[in-house]
Amino acid sequence: MSFHEILDPLTIIKTVGLLGVILVIFAESGLFFGFFLPGDSLLFTAGLLASKGYLPISALLVLCAIAAVLGDNVGYAFGKKTGPLLFSREDSRFFHKRHLEKAHKFYEKYGKRTIIFARFIPIVRTFAPIVAGAVAMDYKTFFKYNLIGGLIWTWGILGLAYLLGNVVPGIENYLTTIVLCIIGLSFIPPIFEYIKRKI
């Protein structure tokens, strides 16, 4: 099985089911090596399959939200403990300083709202809570925005997929195309930001 197949949302669900979805959401939300995991597309795929009865939507809504919030908390704790050492760390296979710096710039621009906005931007989503911890963001403030962001992200994507799965006949036949579109759309904000800086 190739690396691409391992990260395919449908493969993850077929292989490890609900537990796999929860673990990926947890890891991508705050473990610095989880930035490459398919959070958005996995949530959408899980919601769509739930609409067809393959996964329990109630369990997905509750457990994915908890996993997202807990993942961010772990990221915050890691950032607070390691602090400035992270920014001087050398690149490795699972760590690239540019990802951390990108999240830091995002944090400087949007402040505490970053914790919500970052949920919808790959890579930044993983490193935003780590940066929040590294810059010693007030924990109560962090937790509030973390909770709001985690609920909006998980419930929003799961709910949309579940709704579409119930109202659009045969939508599951276009799952690959939809997932590719989600991945493409999720990269629009960072691409737009990059172009804006270059102009």
Side-chain angles (χ1 to χ4, degrees):
M1 186 179 290
S2 69
F3 186 71
H4 171 74
E5 289 173 325
I6 292 172
L7 295 181
D8 175 62
L10 203 53
T11 302
I12 292 171
I13 294 171
K14 283 180 177 178
T15 306
V16 282
L18 179 61
L19 178 62
V21 176
I22 295 163
L23 290 176
V24 167
I25 297 306
F26 172 79
E28 200 211 12
S29 292
L31 304 184
F32 75 86
F33 57 80
F35 67 89
F36 60 85
L37 295 170
D40 295 326
S41 54
L42 182 61
L43 281 173
F44 190 90
T45 303
L48 198 58
L49 292 177
S51 73
K52 306 303 175 184
Y54 295 110
L55 290 170
I57 187 62
S58 56
L60 279 170
L61 290 169
V62 173
L63 296 175
C64 286
I66 292 173
V69 172
L70 286 179
D72 262 27
N73 270 276
V74 170
Y76 176 90
F78 178 74
K80 191 169 185 178
K81 184 175 181 179
T82 56
L85 291 174
L86 275 176
F87 291 92
S88 59
R89 179 176 174 165
E90 294 299 318
D91 286 353
S92 66
R93 184 175 183 181
F94 291 109
F95 177 84
H96 295 280
K97 195 163 31 178
R98 69 178 184 275
H99 297 323
L100 192 64
E101 289 168 349
K102 183 190 293 185
H104 189 250
K105 287 177 183 176
F106 200 86
Y107 183 86
E108 286 181 333
K109 182 174 182 179
Y110 295 106
K112 55 194 178 185
R113 293 174 297 166
T114 297
I115 307 304
I116 296 176
F117 295 159
R119 284 289 183 184
F120 299 90
I121 302 176
I123 300 175
V124 175
R125 170 167 53 241
T126 303
F127 289 98
I130 297 174
V131 170
V135 300
M137 180 180 183
D138 176 68
Y139 180 71
K140 288 183 180 178
T141 302
F142 168 79
F143 186 81
K144 180 177 75 172
Y145 282 86
N146 175 26
L147 182 61
I148 294 169
L151 290 174
I152 292 173
W153 181 55
T154 55
W155 290 5
I157 296 178
L158 284 170
L160 176 63
Y162 188 79
L163 176 66
L164 289 174
N166 279 306
V167 299
V168 180
I171 191 173
E172 64 276 9
N173 298 323
Y174 304 97
L175 185 57
T176 301
T177 303
I178 294 170
V179 166
L180 289 174
C181 288
I182 291 170
I183 293 170
L185 287 172
S186 66
F187 277 98
I188 287 178
I191 290 171
F192 179 75
E193 188 65 29
Y194 175 80
I195 293 172
K196 195 166 69 171
R197 285 203 311 269
K198 291 294 182 181
I199 294 176

